[in-house]
Amino acid sequence: MPDRVLITTDDLEQAVRVNAALEQARFDTAMVSSLDDVRQAVRGRESGAGSREPDAIVLTGGLHETTAQRLLAAAREHAVSTLGLVESTDDPNEVGRELGLTGWLIKPADPAEVTATVRRLIERRRLQQRTGILGESAAIQEVLVKIEQIAPVTSTVLIEGESGTGKELVARAMHDLSPRRGKAFIAVNCAALPETLLESELFGHEKGAFTGAAERRLGRFELANGGTILLDEVGEMPASTQVKLLRVLEDRSFFRVGGTQPIQVDVRVTAATNKSLKESVALGRFRDDLFYRLNVLSVYLPPLRERRSDIPLLVRTFIAEFAKTHDRNFRGITPEALQILVDADWPGNVRQLKNLIESMVVLAPEGEIRASDIPPDIRERTRSLPVRIPAPVRPESGAGSQELEFIFRTLVDLKMQLQDLRQRIEERPAERVEVIEVGGGSEIDPLDPSPEAPGPVIYKPGMTMSDVERAAIDAALRETHGNRRKAAEILGIGERTLYRKLKEFALS
Ligand SMILES: Nc1ncnc2c1ncn2[C@@H]1O[C@H](COP(=O)(O)OP(=O)(O)OP(=O)(O)O)[C@@H](O)[C@H]1O
Ligand SMILES: [Mg+2]
């Protein structure tokens, strides 16, 4: 069956040309004039645009309209790729990221280029289906591009990210997409075993190497020969094992414990850590030469709270998955309950979200997740540190009612965060918190951010709302080493808004 692509007719001339090119390239296309039609089609319902769920949607214009933004949200939730044709007066990267498009091209777009891009986006989506890595956010799309690039080669990869962000999932995906896919993928948790056991686990041992070694035993490196090994929580590896690992990485050879013959293997090494290895190196806990050997290629998985736009898709997919596993006739989730999940903190990231969905699918009495089914600790952990501002709806337009509503929501949100902060500080006085000085005492230069780890943004008595905003921006810029795009993403605002605020606060 050919891939199905919908084309919106906001810019009719572009739509006609793109439609012809896609048809010629043997896509099953449909032009849709009303956004309602598209939205129905995204959900795969009967409509004027046909009943089959599309593989991709090309938006030819009207990107700043609220209807387009709603359509994009629906597409994200249903994992349908979107390609936006951006006006030449707009900054395409900024618009693309701000609106959450999967891809974008400047107008007038060459129909051949549109076709090639649509094909690439659909392939990327297939990759996601194959690997189980869900997410339409820019962060996850970047990870997917990296996986595609990294999978075919044998270089060592370091995967960094908080607990539950999908490091093992990514390591497996790289193995499954590599020429090694027919061979073993073996994960070893370096934190779970004491030093001597870890060495014998990794490198094996000879008969009689130590008390209890009744037989020769092959280690994980030998068992993974031809395949891939994942050294999980590599930062916890004891110093003596680090030396041995370094040797394996240098010449792919090692000795079994108690052995005298070097063993040669062909193993792709991937390593994962939920702590900053660089920091462990600085603290003298991890060898710097080993760090550089491991960090030849690297993938960073951002925490879930930094890609909240992926949460509705994850929730929907997990509900469907667990309803099937547990044979439950399940309707879904109420909008109110979904909003709570989107706003929650998720210190345990995707794993925590997935486990929670499973328990709620099993326990929710009404065959539907409602706000009251969500445990209080999740409901209370919404929108905490660092200060976060919701994504604006067309902040650059005149002071329309939408903008007023946005400002109002931002203020209410900030007020709640401040109350939350106060409460946390009062509740946990012993915890060390760093206070970032704002106003006259500020020495932060966003263009030359110091690599020292910044503390969380803390409210101090006497601070105004704009002081808080300024401190949040400072902190985000320091955290991202001055990368404004990443800083804007962390803050949940558009890059353009960040630029405006930098100007406003005279930070640029
Ligand atoms: N982007 C994603 N899409 C779908 N499922 C995901 C995604 N990221 C993580 N998961 C799921 O979340 C769970 C945790 O992922 P995984 O074990 O890969 O995390 P991890 O980073 O290795 O965690 P830890 O540091 O605790 O070992 C798994 O069930 C995984 O399938
Ligand atoms: Mg893991």
Side-chain angles (χ1 to χ4, degrees):
M1 215 191 287
D3 292 325
R4 183 160 175 80
V5 184
L6 302 184
I7 304 134
T8 66
T9 53
D10 293 66
D11 179 336
L12 194 58
E13 200 196 318
Q14 278 271 316
V16 169
R17 292 177 62 208
V18 165
N19 185 47
L22 284 167
E23 264 185 349
Q24 211 187 355
R26 302 199 176 285
F27 285 97
D28 168 16
T29 67
M31 290 208 275
V32 280
S33 54
S34 128
L35 282 167
D36 272 343
D37 271 0
V38 190
R39 271 161 49 203
Q40 281 190 331
V42 168
R43 296 181 188 119
R45 292 195 195 128
E46 286 299 333
S47 75
S51 60
R52 191 146 79 82
E53 197 169 299
D55 296 286
I57 302 172
V58 180
L59 290 98
T60 58
L63 292 174
H64 294 289
E65 305 299 325
T66 342
T67 34
Q69 291 173 24
R70 285 206 201 106
L71 160 66
L72 287 166
R76 260 199 307 277
E77 200 174 322
H78 291 255
V80 175
S81 308
T82 49
L83 171 62
L85 306 188
V86 181
E87 298 300 331
S88 55
T89 44
D90 277 334
D91 174 342
N93 290 336
E94 202 175 309
V95 171
R97 291 209 179 86
E98 206 161 288
L99 299 180
L101 291 160
T102 339
W104 49 88
L105 292 169
I106 302 177
K107 276 168 52 167
D110 172 12
E113 204 181 345
V114 173
T115 308
T117 312
V118 164
R119 188 165 281 137
R120 211 178 52 241
L121 294 181
I122 293 178
E123 271 164 20
R124 179 110 19 96
R125 193 181 158 207
R126 299 260 144 80
L127 174 70
Q128 290 192 268
Q129 283 163 344
R130 209 170 132 194
T131 57
I133 301 172
L134 299 166
E136 295 292 308
S137 60
I140 289 295
Q141 295 299 314
E142 272 170 35
V143 167
L144 289 164
V145 172
K146 271 206 163 168
I147 292 176
E148 278 172 325
Q149 293 168 336
I150 288 178
V153 300
T154 36
S155 319
T156 304
V157 189
L158 180 64
I159 308 168
E160 292 183 285
E162 285 181 14
S163 177
T165 46
K167 297 185 294 296
E168 183 157 349
L169 190 64
V170 164
R172 275 182 196 280
M174 286 192 291
H175 173 74
D176 290 340
L177 296 171
S178 78
R180 298 170 175 266
R181 72 181 71 94
K183 298 286 173 59
F185 172 88
I186 292 181
V188 187
N189 187 329
C190 301
L193 297 168
E195 189 170 329
T196 48
L197 279 183
L198 178 63
E199 285 194 9
S200 125
E201 187 73 18
L202 289 173
F203 309 116
H205 62 245
E206 295 294 347
K207 184 176 175 179
F210 47 83
T211 330
E215 295 296 332
R216 167 192 280 180
R217 186 164 176 259
L218 299 189
R220 299 284 162 164
F221 269 102
E222 266 181 282
L223 295 170
N225 199 7
T228 307
I229 197 165
L230 168 64
L231 302 170
D232 212 353
E233 300 199 42
V234 73
E236 303 299 316
M237 189 177 267
S240 65
T241 321
Q242 289 181 31
V243 180
K244 295 192 172 146
L245 176 60
L246 189 61
R247 178 172 174 168
V248 179
L249 295 177
E250 270 163 5
D251 58 12
R252 293 286 186 263
S253 85
F254 56 88
F255 293 91
R256 293 191 195 113
V257 176
T260 49
Q261 289 297 314
I263 316 271
Q264 200 78 31
V265 284
D266 162 31
V267 174
R268 185 193 195 158
V269 178
T270 53
T273 175
N274 51 28
K275 285 191 203 131
S276 160
L277 266 199
K278 231 184 195 164
E279 220 168 283
S280 302
V281 169
L283 292 169
R285 295 197 187 125
F286 202 83
R287 293 180 68 102
D288 59 349
D289 45 6
L290 179 56
F291 170 71
Y292 292 114
R293 279 275 170 191
L294 288 174
N295 198 31
V296 177
L297 298 169
S298 67
V299 177
Y300 170 67
L301 289 167
L304 192 54
R305 62 185 170 280
E306 284 174 21
R307 46 183 164 107
R308 293 181 192 277
S309 65
D310 284 337
I311 293 177
L313 170 65
L314 289 165
V315 168
R316 241 178 60 87
T317 314
F318 292 151
I319 289 178
E321 246 173 50
F322 289 122
K324 207 165 156 201
T325 314
H326 298 290
D327 202 17
R328 284 216 69 186
N329 193 2
F330 214 78
R331 279 198 302 284
I333 182 164
T334 64
E336 191 197 351
L338 182 61
Q339 191 59 50
I340 294 172
L341 298 183
V342 169
D343 288 343
D345 220 13
W346 304 119
N349 295 296
V350 186
R351 177 183 296 109
Q352 186 189 11
L353 174 67
K354 195 172 174 178
N355 290 343
L356 177 72
I357 299 284
E358 178 164 19
S359 70
M360 292 195 297
V361 166
V362 173
L363 298 173
E366 310 291 341
E368 176 180 60
I369 296 172
R370 298 183 177 176
S372 54
D373 298 321
I374 299 173
D377 62 315
I378 301 285
R379 271 184 280 165
E380 281 153 21
R381 292 194 77 143
T382 52
R383 300 264 161 145
S384 56
L385 294 170
V387 173
R388 230 167 268 286
I389 298 153
V393 180
R394 296 171 69 196
E396 310 302 320
S397 63
S401 66
Q402 268 181 358
E403 193 172 13
L404 288 177
E405 190 196 319
F406 163 70
I407 293 168
F408 179 69
R409 276 199 296 124
T410 308
L411 290 173
V412 170
D413 217 40
L414 280 171
K415 188 175 163 207
M416 282 169 61
Q417 287 165 18
L418 291 178
Q419 280 170 349
D420 187 29
L421 286 176
R422 273 207 194 107
Q423 200 181 341
R424 275 158 183 256
I425 292 165
E426 275 162 22
E427 272 170 15
R428 284 184 272 171
E431 201 174 274
R432 194 179 74 95
V433 286
E434 257 186 67
V435 176
I436 294 176
E437 293 290 340
V438 292
S442 175
E443 290 165 4
I444 299 160
D445 176 3
L447 293 175
D448 180 26
S450 75
E452 279 87 62
V457 179
I458 295 294
Y459 169 75
K460 286 204 308 180
M463 278 170 92
T464 64
M465 202 65 89
S466 64
D467 289 335
V468 174
E469 270 198 46
R470 192 190 150 126
I473 290 171
D474 274 345
L477 282 167
R478 291 215 295 177
E479 196 184 335
T480 60
H481 303 283
N483 183 326
R484 291 178 180 185
R485 183 173 66 71
K486 283 200 183 133
E489 218 167 284
I490 289 176
L491 292 164
I493 59 175
E495 235 181 314
R496 216 174 343 169
T497 311
L498 178 63
Y499 276 89
R500 206 187 54 229
K501 285 188 183 295
L502 286 172
K503 233 190 229 159
E504 198 178 303
F505 298 135
L507 285 174
S508 63

